[in-house]
Amino acid sequence: MLPEEFFTPGSSSFIRFLTAHRPDLLITESLPPEVRVADGELPHGTTVLALTYRDGVLIAGDRRATRGNLIAQRDLEKVHPTDDHTAVAFAGTVGLAVDMVKLYQVELTHFEKVEGTSMTLNAKANRLAGMVRQNLGQAMQGMVVVPMLVGYDTDAPDGPRGRIFSFDVTGGPYEKRDFHAEGSGSPFARGALKKLFRADMPRREAALAALHALYDAADDDSATGGPDLGRRIFPTVSVITGDGYERLSEAETEELSREMVEQRHRRPDGPTAAP
């Protein structure tokens, strides 16, 4: 038998439901004020990126997590679908980030079941912004989570429907045009995307551009992992179009990664900008 609170009318927000009835299950409880987590004590995820392309939006991430100067995990999943037409990638404290993504997935599903319809993409961005804001206390104590939200806006008028949102630690949402990257390797990834991005790229070209950007990030940032050909660990690459979310298969990602690495053997600095 379910407890009485499950049958009490209330908000369509699952987070508000937990706040009212089981706040201990939320991830927003801060450490005591005098406690601060030192850099390097917890696993951190690093570079994730997104770019729009001809059919929608692509999101990708490397697979490395670090603990200080050590590699904590080589095959971390940083890109997660949150519903049929949105996905989240994260950089920052891995444990909190994974819990935030799971809670956000439930939040969107709960809203859709209660309201009978899904949120607009703007509402999804604002809802995630609120979750990031609730983590501010922990962020100030060294446990920062920086998510990136991408989606295919099914309600948008004619024109580009792939959209990208970033957030600061206070929960401020910012819509980004064309491409964006987060994490320690993001300056190098954005530099690569600046020269490779074209709005009309087909999926394959967009995926190669993302892989080149992650390669450049790994080349200059020790916390970002490049394609591991020996262990066959490759970046996560997913796309969202009008047909929904799709993660590129391991076989396709491996083929594209090996092609990209071969190109870098011939041209170590990567492809040049299109004229």
Side-chain angles (χ1 to χ4, degrees):
M1 178 67 69
L2 291 173
E4 180 182 351
E5 54 262 27
F6 283 89
F7 303 97
T8 303
S11 168
S12 57
S13 169
F14 185 71
I15 295 174
R16 290 184 181 176
F17 175 81
L18 285 184
T19 301
H21 301 291
R22 289 295 304 275
D24 56 297
L25 296 179
L26 292 170
I27 61 173
T28 55
E29 184 177 354
S30 297
L31 298 170
E34 68 276 6
V35 176
R36 179 175 175 83
V37 178
D39 291 341
E41 288 190 3
L42 297 174
H44 274 68
T46 48
T47 309
V48 294
L49 59 84
L51 65 151
T52 58
Y53 72 106
R54 185 175 62 193
D55 301 320
V57 61
L58 179 147
I59 185 168
D62 83 309
R63 305 288 295 277
R64 178 175 292 179
T66 57
R67 184 185 290 112
N69 64 323
L70 302 176
I71 298 176
Q73 187 173 347
R74 300 180 188 275
D75 60 352
L76 177 66
E77 294 286 349
K78 303 175 189 176
V79 177
H80 301 267
T82 47
D83 65 9
D84 289 343
H85 290 95
T86 58
V88 168
F90 66 81
T93 307
V94 172
L96 290 179
V98 171
D99 282 349
M100 183 180 291
V101 170
K102 290 179 179 178
L103 184 58
Y104 185 62
Q105 290 169 329
V106 176
E107 176 78 357
L108 298 187
T109 301
H110 181 78
F111 180 93
E112 187 169 348
K113 289 184 179 296
V114 171
E115 298 293 338
T117 185
S118 60
M119 295 183 195
T120 65
L121 188 51
N122 284 338
K124 293 174 185 177
N126 289 332
R127 192 63 59 93
L128 183 56
M131 294 178 65
V132 175
R133 189 174 302 113
Q134 289 176 330
N135 190 58
L136 180 59
Q138 290 167 309
M140 294 296 99
Q141 292 171 284
M143 296 182 291
V144 179
V145 177
V146 184
M148 181 169 57
L149 173 71
V150 303
Y152 185 86
D153 194 346
T154 57
D155 298 320
D158 293 341
R161 294 190 172 190
R163 300 173 67 187
I164 303 168
F165 296 88
S166 71
F167 305 85
D168 62 32
V169 294
T170 67
Y174 307 94
E175 184 165 2
K176 302 296 184 179
R177 291 179 57 86
D178 300 335
F179 58 85
H180 187 62
E182 292 285 0
S184 57
S186 61
F188 314 109
R190 286 197 296 268
L193 290 174
K194 188 177 293 186
K195 68 177 181 178
L196 297 177
F197 176 81
R198 290 190 299 105
D200 60 345
M201 287 190 294
R203 187 176 91 160
R204 192 175 193 280
E205 186 178 342
L208 279 172
L211 292 172
H212 276 290
L214 290 173
Y215 188 99
D216 280 343
D219 196 36
D220 286 295
D221 173 44
S222 62
T224 302
D228 191 331
L229 303 184
R231 295 183 177 88
R232 298 185 67 187
I233 299 173
F234 303 99
T236 303
V237 182
S238 299
V239 296
I240 308 175
T241 66
D243 295 328
Y245 175 90
E246 179 189 356
R247 174 172 171 161
L248 272 62
S249 68
E250 287 294 322
E252 184 177 2
T253 306
E254 179 174 354
E255 176 195 351
L256 291 171
S257 296
R258 291 184 182 277
E259 178 181 335
M260 183 270 300
V261 170
E262 179 59 31
Q263 291 176 6
R264 301 306 285 258
H265 286 166
R266 298 193 301 268
R267 186 190 289 268
D269 293 332
T272 58

